[in-house]
Amino acid sequence: MSQSKFMTAAEAAKLIKDGDTVGLMGGGGGLMEATHLFEAVQARYLATQQPRNLTVMHALGIGDKKTKGMNCFAHEGLVKKVIGGHWVWSPAMQQLALDNKIEAYILPGGVSSQLMREIGAGRPGLISHVGLGTVCDPRFGGGRMNDAANEDLAEVIRIDGREWLRYKPFPIHVAIVRASAADEDGNISFEHEAANLDAQSLALAARNSGGTVIVQVKERLPKGALKAREVRIPSAWVDAIVVDPAQQTSYDIPFDPAFSGELTGEARAASEAEDHAREVAASQEAFSERQAVARRAHVELFNTGKARPVINYGVGVPDAVAKLIAARNEQHRIYQTIEHGTYGGTLMDGVLFGYARNATAMLDAATQFDFYGGGGLDVACLGFGEFDEEGSVNVSRLGGVTVGPGGFIDIAQNAKKVVFCGTLAAKGVKLATGDGQMRVLQQGAVKKLVKKVDQITFSGPQGLVRGQEVLYLTERGSFRLTPQGIELFEIAPGIDLQRDILDQMDFAPRVAADLKVMDAAHFTAA
């Protein structure tokens, strides 16, 4: 290999031209994020006003809600168009979208990863059922998130009498990829990474688009140092390599082999014991409505007819469900997955969502989404921003702000059973619980159970067509999707049906004739 493949970040940033489509990767909190390269692109633009008018594509959220990740690209003039899976990690980019200073689009996270692979394979885009009936369907928005966005990213086609979406391909001119190490030949290893994400799919897309593949690594190894099976991106795909010795597992964690799944034997057992102790301690913190909803959702995970169901958790209240499983040491009762490609382990939350300590397996994101899309997921435990009388859920645009679905659409649409978890209202709500009851001390100013959602991220009517079991669990009552609409079938102890539930909704649900009261144990702090 020519030594010229190794270069500085500033030199690599100059490989990006005006008008290029640039593919990025990352998963929030610094997960597989090429931070050094992102900052080099930003520094070049601020110094020279180049490159300009980029189209940027990313499957999952990237950033720290401050200055890192997608925030490095959030400059008017640097970016013209963004196709993002999840936007919340970059408030600056959200603001550019809100002000119509960029064209803002969303795609499901899994669709993005799989589309990159299809682009690399030279196929006519991604043909998928994922997104039908949602904002990604051209009949419901076509992925457009602001007035500046004026094209549909997908079209409806029919094959053998069935509707599909064809997500349109486009060339990737530059891929910015993160990995662990490169040898002198330019072969790339992910050995010390906390996930694989879509690095391979993204590199393939750029390579076969005639574009440039730039890889940031922590370590430069001698020729022959990597075993063939350790190489995840071959040298033939790679154009430029930037070594960043300061590269970390996350923004705040220099390196921890528990996150890269490298611990085995006694070291792994000791780490898992420490993880369990932390989860038990965390579960004994102040009891709140989140824990109450999590306990109720926990019941549904083991009510599937499967001896060991395959489960995915989303962000928000579902975090508490994952922590409950960990605190009760029940991981052996389920197959725990997250869309980033990870199985098993102890899931992190907050800024570290997407990380898992002591995972049992790590797949590429596109393969994980293949598994989901093909029907491999038994239960999805997800949050909701709002839901309506048809059972449709919105998490992708709230208060006019672009949020994006991440893997939500791929997951919610494909799980056999979907358990949406959240609070019934927001902004100013005051609740009291922990003694076996739930009491509302002050109602919220924002209703989350609305007549019609602002944007469809999960389609209730499509869920009925697919025969999914769909539940909506809140701290005050439990609802389910039926052909006749949303039905309230449970109420929390201490809650007044009319005042605390029906009056706080913008539509009238069906109320089950045998309306039940939830188990008081869900609301007991002990």
Side-chain angles (χ1 to χ4, degrees):
M1 169 189 152
S2 168
Q3 294 294 320
S4 63
K5 278 194 180 182
F6 285 91
M7 61 185 70
T8 67
E11 290 170 333
K14 291 179 181 178
L15 299 175
I16 304 173
K17 304 179 184 68
D18 292 353
D20 275 352
T21 295
V22 181
L24 306 178
M25 62 174 294
L31 179 62
M32 283 201 85
E33 178 190 310
T35 303
H36 190 43
L37 279 167
F38 289 6
E39 291 173 346
V41 174
Q42 176 178 243
R44 180 190 173 204
Y45 179 76
L46 293 178
T48 68
Q49 294 297 290
Q50 287 185 311
R52 297 185 61 81
N53 298 321
L54 301 180
T55 292
V56 177
M57 179 185 185
H58 60 96
L60 301 175
I62 309 175
D64 63 350
K65 298 187 179 181
K66 297 174 185 176
T67 62
K68 296 184 182 296
M70 283 302 294
N71 297 287
C72 293
F73 292 82
H75 299 285
E76 188 176 357
L78 172 58
V79 171
K80 175 186 177 183
K81 176 180 178 180
V82 174
I83 305 170
H86 203 220
W87 290 61
V88 297
W89 297 111
S90 179
M93 195 67 84
Q94 287 180 307
Q95 190 61 49
L96 288 178
L98 190 61
D99 294 341
N100 279 294
K101 292 182 177 179
I102 60 171
E103 299 171 32
Y105 298 86
I106 60 171
L107 282 179
V111 164
S112 295
S113 296
Q114 293 166 329
L115 179 58
M116 292 174 192
R117 186 178 59 193
E118 298 303 293
I119 291 169
R123 290 188 280 261
L126 176 68
I127 297 173
S128 176
H129 61 282
V130 172
L132 281 170
T134 75
V135 61
C136 296
D137 188 319
R139 296 165 294 191
F140 296 91
R144 300 184 302 275
M145 297 302 287
N146 64 1
D147 292 337
N150 52 24
E151 61 181 293
D152 294 328
L153 301 183
E155 65 177 354
V156 179
I157 64 173
R158 296 189 71 87
I159 301 176
D160 294 336
R162 178 181 171 185
E163 281 192 346
W164 300 82
L165 290 180
R166 181 180 79 93
Y167 292 94
K168 303 172 187 178
F170 47 84
I172 301 293
H173 302 116
V174 179
I176 299 181
V177 176
R178 149 85 178 259
S180 298
D183 68 12
E184 290 290 346
D185 279 337
N187 295 302
I188 305 299
S189 166
F190 300 168
E191 182 180 5
H192 302 310
E193 300 304 310
N196 296 345
L197 299 186
D198 39 30
Q200 196 174 63
S201 298
L202 178 55
L204 176 66
R207 171 64 177 79
N208 283 353
S209 293
T212 301
V213 178
I214 306 172
V215 184
Q216 175 187 304
V217 299
K218 182 180 178 66
E219 188 177 11
R220 179 174 179 171
L221 301 176
K223 181 178 179 178
L226 293 174
K227 297 176 183 176
R229 289 190 180 276
E230 293 175 333
V231 175
R232 302 309 301 270
I233 300 176
S235 175
W237 298 12
V238 178
D239 298 288
I241 302 169
V242 174
V243 179
D244 175 19
Q247 179 173 294
Q248 299 196 148
T249 294
S250 80
Y251 294 138
D252 299 319
I253 301 170
F255 175 68
D256 185 338
F259 283 116
S260 55
E262 296 178 66
L263 297 179
T264 60
E266 293 182 1
R268 181 186 179 98
S271 181
E272 289 175 334
E274 291 174 2
D275 293 343
H276 177 60
R278 277 193 296 269
E279 295 301 326
V280 170
S283 71
Q284 296 171 347
E285 294 176 359
F287 187 79
S288 71
E289 66 276 5
R290 281 173 54 91
Q291 283 74 36
V293 178
R295 290 182 185 180
R296 177 62 187 84
H298 175 271
V299 175
E300 297 300 330
L301 302 186
F302 301 102
N303 186 22
T304 65
K306 291 286 188 73
R308 191 176 179 183
V310 179
I311 291 172
N312 172 280
Y313 302 104
V315 296
V317 174
D319 289 340
V321 183
K323 287 187 172 298
L324 185 60
I325 290 286
R328 295 181 177 180
N329 208 20
E330 293 179 331
Q331 292 95 324
H332 64 284
R333 298 184 61 191
I334 62 173
Y335 290 110
Q336 176 178 278
T337 74
I338 48 178
E339 59 268 32
H340 302 68
T342 304
Y343 284 73
T346 300
L347 301 185
M348 301 293 100
D349 62 358
V351 72
L352 290 179
F353 177 78
Y355 289 81
R357 291 178 58 81
N358 298 302
T360 56
M362 289 183 181
L363 306 181
D364 295 336
T367 302
Q368 184 78 306
F369 282 112
D370 285 343
F371 175 70
Y372 290 167
L377 190 58
D378 295 311
V379 188
C381 188
L382 304 170
F384 66 84
E386 58 182 7
F387 70 87
D388 64 22
E389 62 183 348
E390 289 191 329
S392 293
V393 174
N394 173 27
V395 300
S396 52
R397 185 172 65 194
L398 300 171
V401 176
T402 299
V403 176
F408 181 97
I409 296 176
D410 312 83
I411 295 163
Q413 190 167 328
N414 289 303
K416 299 178 182 69
K417 178 176 185 176
V418 191
V419 182
F420 293 110
C421 303
T423 55
L424 190 134
K427 197 174 182 180
V429 179
K430 293 184 180 179
L431 304 167
T433 188
D435 61 352
Q437 293 194 325
M438 174 64 68
R439 292 178 297 281
V440 182
L441 307 180
Q442 181 175 299
Q443 303 292 355
V446 175
K447 295 179 180 178
K448 296 172 64 176
L449 280 60
V450 298
K451 184 75 174 175
K452 186 171 181 59
V453 293
D454 182 44
Q455 193 168 80
I456 301 173
T457 329
F458 169 81
S459 169
Q462 284 286 322
L464 289 172
V465 170
R466 291 188 295 269
Q468 291 176 284
E469 181 182 357
V470 184
L471 302 177
Y472 312 80
L473 306 182
T474 77
E475 81 286 6
R476 308 184 198 188
S478 302
F479 303 82
R480 60 189 165 210
L481 180 63
T482 76
Q484 294 75 39
I486 292 292
E487 179 181 76
L488 174 68
F489 67 94
E490 274 184 340
I491 189 171
I495 288 295
D496 182 279
L497 173 62
Q498 187 67 46
R499 182 192 66 221
D500 297 333
I501 297 181
L502 301 181
D503 288 350
Q504 307 308 314
M505 301 173 58
D506 281 343
F507 64 90
R510 289 166 52 89
V511 178
D514 59 342
L515 182 66
K516 295 181 171 57
V517 177
M518 294 186 215
D519 190 337
H522 299 328
F523 304 89
T524 303

